[in-house]
Coordinates of all heavy atoms in Angstrom, one line a residue:
M1 N 94.5 89.7 90.5 CA 95.9 90.1 90.7 C 96.4 90.6 89.3 O 96.2 89.9 88.3 CB 96.7 88.9 91.2 CG 98.2 89.2 91.3 SD 99.0 87.9 92.2 CE 99.8 87.1 90.8
L2 N 97.2 91.7 89.3 CA 97.8 92.1 88.1 C 99.0 91.3 87.8 O 99.8 91.0 88.7 CB 98.2 93.6 88.2 CG 97.0 94.6 88.4 CD1 97.6 96.0 88.6 CD2 96.2 94.6 87.1
L3 N 99.2 91.0 86.6 CA 100.4 90.2 86.2 C 101.3 91.1 85.4 O 100.9 92.0 84.6 CB 100.0 89.0 85.4 CG 99.1 88.0 86.1 CD1 98.6 86.9 85.1 CD2 99.9 87.4 87.2
P4 N 102.6 91.0 85.5 CA 103.6 91.8 84.8 C 103.6 91.5 83.3 O 103.3 90.4 82.9 CB 104.9 91.5 85.4 CG 104.8 90.2 86.1 CD 103.3 90.0 86.4
D5 N 104.0 92.5 82.5 CA 104.1 92.3 81.1 C 105.3 91.3 80.9 O 106.3 91.4 81.5 CB 104.5 93.6 80.4 CG 104.6 93.5 78.9 OD1 103.6 93.5 78.2 OD2 105.8 93.3 78.5
K6 N 105.0 90.3 80.0 CA 106.0 89.2 79.8 C 107.3 89.7 79.2 O 108.4 89.2 79.5 CB 105.4 88.1 79.0 CG 104.4 87.3 79.9 CD 103.9 86.1 79.2 CE 102.9 85.4 80.1 NZ 102.5 84.1 79.6
S7 N 107.2 90.7 78.3 CA 108.5 91.2 77.7 C 109.3 92.0 78.7 O 110.5 91.9 78.7 CB 108.1 92.1 76.5 OG 107.4 93.2 76.9
V8 N 108.6 92.7 79.6 CA 109.4 93.4 80.7 C 110.0 92.4 81.6 O 111.2 92.6 82.0 CB 108.4 94.4 81.5 CG1 109.1 94.9 82.7 CG2 107.9 95.5 80.6
L9 N 109.3 91.4 82.0 CA 109.8 90.4 82.9 C 111.0 89.6 82.2 O 112.0 89.4 82.9 CB 108.7 89.4 83.2 CG 108.9 88.5 84.4 CD1 109.3 89.2 85.7 CD2 107.7 87.6 84.7
T10 N 110.9 89.3 81.0 CA 112.0 88.6 80.3 C 113.2 89.5 80.3 O 114.3 89.1 80.5 CB 111.6 88.3 78.8 OG1 110.4 87.4 78.9 CG2 112.7 87.7 78.0
S11 N 113.0 90.8 80.0 CA 114.1 91.7 80.0 C 114.8 91.8 81.4 O 116.0 91.9 81.6 CB 113.6 93.1 79.6 OG 114.7 94.1 79.7
L12 N 114.0 91.9 82.5 CA 114.5 91.9 83.8 C 115.3 90.7 84.2 O 116.4 90.8 84.8 CB 113.3 92.1 84.8 CG 112.8 93.5 85.1 CD1 111.6 93.5 85.9 CD2 113.9 94.4 85.7
L13 N 114.8 89.5 83.8 CA 115.5 88.3 84.1 C 116.9 88.3 83.4 O 117.9 87.9 83.9 CB 114.7 87.1 83.7 CG 113.6 86.7 84.6 CD1 112.7 85.6 84.0 CD2 114.1 86.3 86.0
R14 N 116.9 88.8 82.1 CA 118.1 88.8 81.3 C 119.1 89.8 82.0 O 120.3 89.5 82.2 CB 117.8 89.3 79.9 CG 118.9 89.1 78.9 CD 118.5 89.4 77.5 NE 117.5 88.5 77.1 CZ 116.3 88.8 76.5 NH1 116.0 90.1 76.3 NH2 115.4 88.0 76.2
R15 N 118.6 91.0 82.4 CA 119.5 91.9 83.0 C 120.0 91.4 84.4 O 121.1 91.7 84.8 CB 118.7 93.3 83.2 CG 118.6 94.0 81.9 CD 117.8 95.3 81.9 NE 117.8 96.0 83.2 CZ 116.8 96.6 83.6 NH1 115.7 96.7 83.0 NH2 116.9 97.3 84.8
Y16 N 119.1 90.8 85.1 CA 119.5 90.2 86.4 C 120.7 89.3 86.2 O 121.7 89.3 87.0 CB 118.4 89.5 87.1 CG 118.8 88.9 88.5 CD1 118.8 89.7 89.6 CD2 119.2 87.6 88.5 CE1 119.3 89.1 90.8 CE2 119.7 87.0 89.7 CZ 119.7 87.8 90.9 OH 120.1 87.3 92.0
R17 N 120.6 88.4 85.3 CA 121.6 87.4 85.1 C 122.9 88.0 84.6 O 124.0 87.6 85.0 CB 121.1 86.3 84.1 CG 120.1 85.5 84.7 CD 119.6 84.3 83.9 NE 118.7 83.5 84.6 CZ 117.4 83.4 84.3 NH1 116.9 84.0 83.2 NH2 116.6 82.6 85.0
L18 N 122.8 89.1 83.8 CA 124.0 89.8 83.3 C 124.7 90.5 84.5 O 125.9 90.3 84.7 CB 123.6 90.9 82.3 CG 124.7 91.9 81.9 CD1 125.7 91.2 81.0 CD2 124.1 93.1 81.3
W19 N 124.0 91.2 85.3 CA 124.6 91.8 86.5 C 125.1 90.8 87.5 O 126.1 91.1 88.2 CB 123.6 92.9 87.1 CG 123.5 94.1 86.2 CD1 122.5 94.4 85.4 CD2 124.6 95.1 86.0 NE1 122.8 95.6 84.7 CE2 124.1 96.0 85.1 CE3 125.8 95.3 86.5 CZ2 124.8 97.1 84.7 CZ3 126.6 96.4 86.1 CH2 126.1 97.3 85.2
E20 N 124.4 89.7 87.6 CA 124.8 88.7 88.6 C 126.2 88.2 88.1 O 127.1 88.0 89.0 CB 123.8 87.5 88.6 CG 124.2 86.4 89.6 CD 123.2 85.3 89.6 OE1 122.7 84.9 88.4 OE2 122.8 84.9 90.6
R21 N 126.4 87.9 86.8 CA 127.7 87.5 86.3 C 128.8 88.6 86.6 O 129.9 88.3 86.9 CB 127.7 87.2 84.8 CG 127.0 85.9 84.5 CD 127.2 85.4 83.1 NE 126.7 86.4 82.1 CZ 125.4 86.5 81.7 NH1 124.5 85.6 82.1 NH2 125.1 87.4 80.8
M22 N 128.4 89.8 86.4 CA 129.3 90.9 86.6 C 129.8 91.0 88.1 O 130.9 91.2 88.4 CB 128.8 92.3 86.2 CG 128.6 92.3 84.7 SD 127.8 93.8 84.1 CE 129.3 94.8 83.9
V23 N 128.8 90.8 89.0 CA 129.1 90.8 90.5 C 130.0 89.6 90.8 O 130.9 89.8 91.6 CB 127.9 90.9 91.3 CG1 128.2 90.6 92.8 CG2 127.2 92.2 91.2
L24 N 129.7 88.5 90.2 CA 130.6 87.3 90.5 C 132.0 87.5 90.0 O 132.9 87.1 90.6 CB 129.9 86.1 89.9 CG 128.7 85.6 90.6 CD1 128.0 84.4 89.7 CD2 129.0 85.1 92.0
A25 N 132.1 88.2 88.9 CA 133.4 88.5 88.3 C 134.2 89.5 89.1 O 135.4 89.4 89.2 CB 133.3 89.0 86.9
D26 N 133.5 90.5 89.7 CA 134.1 91.5 90.5 C 133.2 91.8 91.7 O 132.5 92.8 91.7 CB 134.4 92.8 89.7 CG 135.2 93.8 90.5 OD1 135.6 93.6 91.6 OD2 135.4 94.9 89.9
P27 N 133.3 91.0 92.8 CA 132.4 91.2 93.9 C 132.5 92.5 94.7 O 131.6 92.9 95.4 CB 132.8 90.1 94.9 CG 133.7 89.2 94.2 CD 134.2 89.9 92.9
H28 N 133.6 93.3 94.4 CA 133.8 94.5 95.1 C 133.4 95.8 94.3 O 133.6 96.9 94.8 CB 135.3 94.6 95.6 CG 135.7 93.5 96.5 ND1 135.2 93.3 97.8 CD2 136.5 92.4 96.2 CE1 135.7 92.2 98.3 NE2 136.5 91.6 97.4
D29 N 132.8 95.5 93.2 CA 132.4 96.7 92.3 C 131.0 97.2 92.9 O 130.0 96.5 92.7 CB 132.2 96.2 90.9 CG 131.7 97.3 90.0 OD1 131.5 98.4 90.4 OD2 131.7 97.0 88.8
P30 N 131.0 98.3 93.5 CA 129.8 98.8 94.1 C 128.7 99.1 93.1 O 127.5 99.0 93.4 CB 130.2 100.1 94.9 CG 131.5 100.5 94.2 CD 132.1 99.3 93.7
V31 N 129.0 99.6 91.9 CA 128.0 99.9 90.9 C 127.3 98.6 90.4 O 126.1 98.6 90.4 CB 128.7 100.6 89.7 CG1 127.7 100.8 88.5 CG2 129.2 102.0 90.1
A32 N 128.1 97.6 90.1 CA 127.5 96.3 89.7 C 126.6 95.7 90.8 O 125.5 95.3 90.5 CB 128.6 95.3 89.3
R33 N 127.1 95.8 92.0 CA 126.3 95.2 93.2 C 125.0 96.0 93.3 O 123.9 95.4 93.5 CB 127.1 95.3 94.4 CG 126.4 94.6 95.6 CD 127.4 94.4 96.8 NE 128.4 93.4 96.5 CZ 128.2 92.1 96.5 NH1 127.0 91.6 96.8 NH2 129.2 91.3 96.3
R34 N 125.0 97.3 93.2 CA 123.8 98.1 93.4 C 122.8 97.9 92.3 O 121.6 97.8 92.5 CB 124.2 99.6 93.4 CG 123.1 100.5 93.6 CD 122.4 100.4 95.0 NE 121.2 101.2 95.1 CZ 120.3 100.9 95.9 NH1 120.4 100.0 96.8 NH2 119.2 101.7 95.9
R35 N 123.3 97.8 91.1 CA 122.4 97.5 89.9 C 121.7 96.1 90.1 O 120.5 95.9 89.9 CB 123.1 97.5 88.6 CG 123.6 98.9 88.3 CD 123.2 99.4 87.0 NE 123.5 100.8 86.8 CZ 124.3 101.3 85.9 NH1 125.0 100.5 85.1 NH2 124.5 102.6 85.8
L36 N 122.5 95.1 90.5 CA 122.0 93.8 90.8 C 120.9 93.8 91.9 O 119.8 93.3 91.7 CB 123.1 92.8 91.2 CG 122.6 91.4 91.5 CD1 122.1 90.7 90.2 CD2 123.8 90.6 92.0
E37 N 121.2 94.6 92.9 CA 120.2 94.7 94.0 C 118.9 95.4 93.6 O 117.8 95.0 94.0 CB 120.8 95.4 95.2 CG 121.9 94.6 95.9 CD 122.7 95.5 96.9 OE1 122.5 96.7 97.0 OE2 123.5 94.9 97.6
D38 N 119.1 96.4 92.7 CA 117.9 97.1 92.2 C 117.0 96.2 91.4 O 115.8 96.2 91.5 CB 118.3 98.4 91.4 CG 118.9 99.5 92.2 OD1 118.7 99.5 93.5 OD2 119.5 100.4 91.7
I39 N 117.6 95.5 90.5 CA 116.9 94.5 89.6 C 116.3 93.4 90.5 O 115.1 93.0 90.2 CB 117.8 94.0 88.5 CG1 118.2 95.1 87.6 CG2 117.0 92.9 87.7 CD1 119.3 94.8 86.6
A40 N 117.0 92.9 91.5 CA 116.4 91.9 92.3 C 115.2 92.4 93.1 O 114.2 91.7 93.2 CB 117.5 91.4 93.3
Y41 N 115.3 93.6 93.6 CA 114.1 94.2 94.3 C 112.9 94.3 93.3 O 111.8 94.0 93.7 CB 114.5 95.6 94.8 CG 113.4 96.3 95.4 CD1 112.9 96.1 96.7 CD2 112.7 97.3 94.7 CE1 111.9 96.7 97.3 CE2 111.6 98.0 95.3 CZ 111.2 97.7 96.5 OH 110.1 98.3 97.1
T42 N 113.2 94.8 92.1 CA 112.1 94.9 91.1 C 111.4 93.6 90.8 O 110.2 93.5 90.7 CB 112.6 95.6 89.8 OG1 113.2 96.9 90.2 CG2 111.5 95.8 88.8
L43 N 112.3 92.6 90.7 CA 111.7 91.2 90.4 C 110.9 90.8 91.6 O 109.8 90.2 91.4 CB 112.9 90.2 90.2 CG 113.5 90.2 88.8 CD1 114.8 89.4 88.8 CD2 112.5 89.7 87.8
C44 N 111.3 91.0 92.8 CA 110.6 90.6 94.0 C 109.2 91.3 94.0 O 108.2 90.7 94.3 CB 111.4 90.9 95.3 SG 112.8 89.8 95.5
V45 N 109.2 92.6 93.8 CA 108.0 93.4 93.8 C 107.0 92.9 92.7 O 105.8 92.6 93.0 CB 108.2 94.9 93.6 CG1 107.0 95.7 93.4 CG2 109.0 95.4 94.9
L46 N 107.5 92.7 91.5 CA 106.7 92.3 90.4 C 106.0 90.9 90.6 O 104.9 90.7 90.2 CB 107.4 92.3 89.0 CG 107.7 93.6 88.4 CD1 108.5 93.4 87.1 CD2 106.4 94.3 88.0
M47 N 106.8 90.0 91.2 CA 106.3 88.7 91.4 C 105.7 88.4 92.7 O 105.2 87.3 93.0 CB 107.5 87.7 91.2 CG 108.1 87.7 89.8 SD 106.9 87.8 88.4 CE 106.1 86.3 88.6
G48 N 105.7 89.4 93.6 CA 105.1 89.3 94.9 C 105.8 88.3 95.8 O 105.2 87.6 96.6
R49 N 107.1 88.3 95.7 CA 107.9 87.3 96.5 C 108.9 88.1 97.4 O 109.3 89.2 97.1 CB 108.7 86.3 95.6 CG 107.8 85.5 94.7 CD 107.0 84.5 95.6 NE 106.1 83.7 94.7 CZ 104.9 83.5 95.0 NH1 104.3 84.0 96.1 NH2 104.2 82.7 94.2
R50 N 109.3 87.4 98.5 CA 110.3 88.0 99.4 C 111.7 87.9 99.1 O 112.5 88.7 99.5 CB 110.0 87.5 100.8 CG 108.7 87.9 101.4 CD 108.6 87.4 102.8 NE 107.3 87.8 103.4 CZ 107.1 88.8 104.2 NH1 108.1 89.5 104.6 NH2 105.9 89.1 104.6
T51 N 112.1 86.8 98.4 CA 113.5 86.6 98.0 C 113.6 86.6 96.5 O 112.7 86.2 95.8 CB 114.1 85.3 98.6 OG1 113.4 84.2 97.9 CG2 113.8 85.2 100.1
V52 N 114.8 86.9 96.0 CA 115.0 87.0 94.6 C 115.0 85.5 94.0 O 114.5 85.4 92.9 CB 116.3 87.7 94.2 CG1 117.5 86.9 94.6 CG2 116.4 88.0 92.8
Q53 N 115.4 84.6 94.8 CA 115.3 83.2 94.3 C 113.9 82.8 94.1 O 113.5 82.2 93.0 CB 116.0 82.2 95.3 CG 117.5 82.3 95.4 CD 117.9 83.5 96.3 OE1 117.1 84.1 97.1 NE2 119.2 83.8 96.2
E54 N 113.0 83.1 95.0 CA 111.6 82.8 94.8 C 111.0 83.6 93.6 O 110.2 83.1 92.9 CB 110.8 83.2 96.1 CG 111.1 82.3 97.3 CD 110.4 82.8 98.6 OE1 109.9 84.0 98.6 OE2 110.3 82.0 99.5
A55 N 111.4 84.8 93.5 CA 110.9 85.7 92.4 C 111.3 85.1 91.1 O 110.5 85.1 90.1 CB 111.4 87.1 92.6
I56 N 112.6 84.7 91.0 CA 113.0 84.1 89.7 C 112.3 82.8 89.3 O 111.9 82.6 88.2 CB 114.6 83.9 89.8 CG1 115.3 85.2 89.8 CG2 115.0 83.0 88.6 CD1 116.8 85.1 90.0
I57 N 112.1 82.0 90.3 CA 111.4 80.7 90.1 C 109.9 81.0 89.6 O 109.5 80.5 88.6 CB 111.4 79.8 91.3 CG1 112.8 79.3 91.6 CG2 110.3 78.7 91.2 CD1 112.9 78.7 93.0
E58 N 109.3 82.0 90.3 CA 107.9 82.3 89.9 C 107.9 83.0 88.5 O 107.0 82.7 87.7 CB 107.3 83.3 91.0 CG 105.9 83.5 90.8 CD 105.1 82.2 91.0 OE1 105.5 81.4 91.8 OE2 104.0 82.2 90.5
A59 N 108.9 83.8 88.2 CA 108.9 84.5 86.9 C 109.1 83.5 85.8 O 108.4 83.6 84.8 CB 110.0 85.5 86.9
E60 N 110.0 82.6 86.0 CA 110.3 81.5 85.0 C 109.0 80.7 84.8 O 108.7 80.3 83.7 CB 111.5 80.7 85.4 CG 112.8 81.5 85.2 CD 114.0 80.7 85.8 OE1 113.8 79.8 86.5 OE2 115.1 81.2 85.4
R61 N 108.3 80.3 85.9 CA 107.1 79.6 85.8 C 106.0 80.3 85.0 O 105.4 79.8 84.2 CB 106.6 79.2 87.2 CG 105.5 78.3 87.3 CD 105.1 77.9 88.7 NE 106.3 77.2 89.3 CZ 106.6 77.3 90.6 NH1 105.9 78.1 91.4 NH2 107.6 76.7 91.1
Y62 N 105.9 81.6 85.3 CA 104.9 82.5 84.7 C 105.2 82.6 83.2 O 104.3 82.5 82.3 CB 104.9 83.8 85.3 CG 104.1 84.9 84.6 CD1 102.7 84.7 84.5 CD2 104.7 86.0 84.2 CE1 102.0 85.7 83.9 CE2 104.0 87.0 83.5 CZ 102.6 86.9 83.4 OH 101.9 87.8 82.7
L63 N 106.5 82.8 82.8 CA 106.8 82.9 81.4 C 106.7 81.6 80.7 O 106.2 81.6 79.5 CB 108.3 83.4 81.3 CG 108.5 84.8 81.7 CD1 110.0 85.1 81.8 CD2 107.8 85.8 80.9
A64 N 107.0 80.5 81.3 CA 106.9 79.2 80.7 C 105.4 78.8 80.4 O 105.1 78.2 79.4 CB 107.5 78.1 81.6
A65 N 104.5 79.3 81.3 CA 103.1 79.0 81.1 C 102.5 79.6 79.9 O 101.5 79.1 79.3 CB 102.3 79.5 82.4
G66 N 103.1 80.7 79.4 CA 102.6 81.4 78.2 C 103.2 80.9 76.9 O 103.0 81.5 75.9
R67 N 104.0 79.8 77.0 CA 104.7 79.4 75.7 C 103.9 78.2 75.0 O 104.5 77.5 74.3 CB 106.1 78.9 76.1 CG 106.9 80.1 76.5 CD 108.4 79.7 76.6 NE 109.1 80.8 77.0 CZ 110.2 80.7 77.7 NH1 110.7 79.5 78.1 NH2 110.9 81.8 78.1
T68 N 102.6 78.1 75.3 CA 101.9 77.1 74.6 C 101.6 77.6 73.1 O 101.5 78.8 72.8 CB 100.5 76.9 75.3 OG1 99.8 78.1 75.3 CG2 100.7 76.4 76.7
V69 N 101.5 76.6 72.3 CA 101.3 76.9 70.8 C 99.8 77.3 70.7 O 98.9 76.5 71.1 CB 101.6 75.7 70.0 CG1 101.3 76.0 68.5 CG2 103.1 75.3 70.2
P70 N 99.5 78.5 70.1 CA 98.1 78.9 70.0 C 97.4 78.0 69.0 O 98.0 77.5 68.0 CB 98.2 80.3 69.5 CG 99.5 80.4 68.9 CD 100.4 79.5 69.6
R71 N 96.1 77.7 69.2 CA 95.3 76.9 68.3 C 95.0 77.8 67.1 O 94.7 79.0 67.2 CB 94.0 76.5 69.0 CG 94.2 75.5 70.0 CD 92.9 75.1 70.7 NE 91.8 75.2 69.9 CZ 90.5 75.0 70.3 NH1 90.3 74.6 71.5 NH2 89.5 75.1 69.5
T72 N 95.0 77.2 65.9 CA 94.7 78.0 64.7 C 93.2 77.9 64.5 O 92.5 77.0 64.9 CB 95.4 77.3 63.5 OG1 95.0 76.0 63.4 CG2 96.9 77.4 63.6
V73 N 92.7 79.0 63.9 CA 91.3 79.1 63.7 C 91.0 78.3 62.4 O 91.7 78.5 61.4 CB 90.9 80.6 63.5 CG1 89.4 80.7 63.2 CG2 91.3 81.4 64.7
E74 N 90.0 77.5 62.5 CA 89.6 76.7 61.3 C 89.0 77.6 60.3 O 88.3 78.6 60.6 CB 88.6 75.6 61.7 CG 89.1 74.6 62.6 CD 88.1 73.6 63.0 OE1 87.2 73.3 62.1 OE2 88.1 73.1 64.1
R75 N 89.3 77.3 59.0 CA 88.8 78.2 57.9 C 87.3 78.1 57.9 O 86.7 77.0 58.0 CB 89.3 77.7 56.6 CG 90.8 78.0 56.5 CD 91.3 77.7 55.2 NE 92.8 78.0 55.2 CZ 93.4 78.5 54.2 NH1 92.8 78.8 53.1 NH2 94.7 78.8 54.3
G76 N 86.7 79.3 57.7 CA 85.2 79.3 57.6 C 84.6 79.4 59.0 O 83.4 79.5 59.1
K77 N 85.3 79.2 60.1 CA 84.7 79.3 61.4 C 85.5 80.3 62.2 O 86.2 80.0 63.1 CB 84.8 77.9 62.1 CG 84.1 76.9 61.5 CD 84.2 75.6 62.3 CE 83.4 74.5 61.7 NZ 83.5 73.3 62.5
G78 N 85.4 81.6 62.0 CA 86.2 82.5 62.7 C 85.4 83.6 63.2 O 85.2 84.3 64.0

């Protein structure tokens, strides 16, 4: 299975949350609602999920899994 680029996914999650706040502030703004829906769709496709809530949970899990501290290479053994 292909996995999305983590920087792209981080950017999408950030944009989703931004547009979500904008829609909550003005629920009748068609531009904000459409942008939120577009980003939600993209998240669902990238994460292979049917709902945006599932996609967000999966994206956060995927991003958190990559935050381990890398092991350093011992000197003289590289």
Side-chain angles (χ1 to χ4, degrees):
M1 177 170 106
L2 293 175
L3 298 173
D5 181 84
K6 290 186 177 189
S7 64
V8 171
L9 194 54
T10 300
S11 174
L12 277 172
L13 285 171
R14 192 174 299 128
R15 287 178 26 218
Y16 178 85
R17 291 184 177 117
L18 170 74
W19 286 105
E20 182 180 44
R21 285 191 302 274
M22 293 178 85
V23 168
L24 289 172
D26 186 4
H28 302 291
D29 180 357
V31 173
R33 184 167 294 281
R34 181 66 186 159
R35 294 232 172 115
L36 179 65
E37 290 170 356
D38 288 347
I39 295 168
Y41 175 80
T42 303
L43 280 169
C44 288
V45 170
L46 283 177
M47 300 315 298
R49 299 293 182 226
R50 290 183 181 259
T51 68
V52 71
Q53 291 82 12
E54 292 173 345
I56 289 171
I57 290 168
E58 191 64 29
E60 289 173 344
R61 188 176 297 145
Y62 171 63
L63 292 171
R67 291 190 183 149
T68 59
V69 177
R71 290 178 30 183
T72 58
V73 178
E74 293 179 36
R75 290 185 182 219
K77 295 183 180 180

